[in-house]
């Protein structure tokens, strides 16, 4: 009496092997490279410039939303909610801009919204300068968890019928 082998229901993927475990561990304890930080700040400010001049696109708005989400989570995890109110104001400004985009098909800001977004970007830059890579990765994981479980999220770009 021969037993039939049960067919696997998923593809076999071997575990990855870290070539240099010490470097892998210590790499997370380093600060973010200056060149990488500069590129990130240029992208954020370019998106902000496009939004303020009225030529912003959805990708620019998404980039600023991502920066806002990271800033809020980093503030909650590492900075004792020191700038939390300022970051929430920036998040609410992005929400209002997104709602306005749905009706006018153009990103339009008020002066207060522009000021709150500038403050939010300034705090975001300072946070990234102060943190280690591992802290930023943990904050990213927390943002993804909150998005997955709909914690403190608002749907803006979905048209409700």
């Amino acid at each position: 009496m021969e037993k039939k082998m049960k067919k696997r229901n998923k593809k076999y993927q071997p575990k990855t092997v870290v070539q240099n475990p010490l470097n892998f561990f210590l790499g997370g304890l380093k600060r973010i490279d200056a060149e990488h930080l500069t590129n990130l700040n240029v992208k954020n400010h370019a998106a902000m410039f496009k939004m303020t001049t009225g030529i912003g696109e959805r990708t620019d708005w998404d980039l600023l939303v991502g920066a806002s989400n990271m800033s809020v989570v980093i503030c909650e995890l590492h900075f004792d909610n020191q700038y939390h109110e300022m970051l929430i104001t920036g998040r609410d400004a992005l929400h209002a801009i997104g709602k306005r985009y749905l009706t006018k098909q153009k990103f339009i800001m008020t002066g207060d919204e522009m000021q709150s977004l500038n403050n939010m970007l300034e705090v975001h830059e300072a946070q990234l300068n102060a943190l280690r890579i591992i802290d930023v990765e943990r904050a990213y994981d927390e943002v993804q968890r909150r998005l997955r479980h709909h914690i403190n999220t608002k749907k803006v770009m979905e048209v409700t019928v």
Side-chain angles (χ1 to χ4, degrees):
M1 210 169 189
E2 245 180 76
K3 263 189 167 179
K4 285 190 176 184
M5 290 291 289
K6 186 176 177 184
K7 189 175 179 181
R8 279 185 72 87
N9 56 358
K10 62 182 179 178
K11 183 181 174 186
Y12 171 71
Q13 290 183 334
K15 227 177 184 183
T16 58
V17 177
V18 177
Q19 297 296 326
N20 189 348
L22 189 60
N23 190 31
F24 178 76
F25 173 74
L26 293 177
L29 300 178
K30 295 179 188 174
R31 303 257 182 234
I32 302 173
D33 293 336
E35 182 181 336
H36 185 72
L37 260 177
T38 303
N39 289 339
L40 184 62
N41 291 338
V42 166
K43 285 179 187 176
N44 288 339
H45 285 284
M48 182 67 179
F49 176 76
K50 285 182 180 178
M51 296 281 286
T52 56
T53 55
I55 58 171
E57 299 172 356
R58 171 74 190 268
T59 56
D60 301 320
W61 185 81
D62 286 338
L63 190 70
L64 291 176
V65 168
S68 172
N69 289 341
M70 284 293 289
S71 296
V72 170
V73 169
I74 288 172
C75 182
E76 291 172 359
L77 294 178
H78 298 286
F79 292 98
D80 299 328
N81 295 337
Q82 187 176 3
Y83 300 105
H84 194 260
E85 187 176 324
M86 184 187 304
L87 296 173
I88 294 299
T89 306
R91 184 192 68 185
D92 293 342
L94 279 169
H95 184 261
I97 292 166
K99 286 293 189 187
R100 204 173 302 124
Y101 174 78
L102 289 178
T103 59
K104 300 186 184 205
Q105 297 303 312
K106 190 172 184 179
F107 289 106
I108 301 170
M109 302 185 182
T110 64
D112 292 336
E113 291 168 346
M114 192 180 306
Q115 181 63 40
S116 62
L117 287 181
N118 280 329
N119 291 340
M120 187 253 326
L121 276 179
E122 187 176 336
V123 169
H124 183 63
E125 285 179 21
Q127 287 173 337
L128 292 179
N129 283 329
L131 293 177
R132 302 171 301 170
I133 293 173
I134 195 165
D135 297 327
V136 175
E137 288 175 351
R138 287 178 182 155
Y140 175 78
D141 292 340
E142 177 63 17
V143 168
Q144 293 303 313
R145 185 188 74 79
R146 289 181 183 190
L147 289 174
R148 209 173 27 253
H149 296 295
H150 304 292
I151 300 171
N152 293 338
T153 58
K154 296 179 182 179
K155 298 286 186 196
V156 176
M157 291 298 180
E158 293 180 2
V159 180
T160 55
V161 179

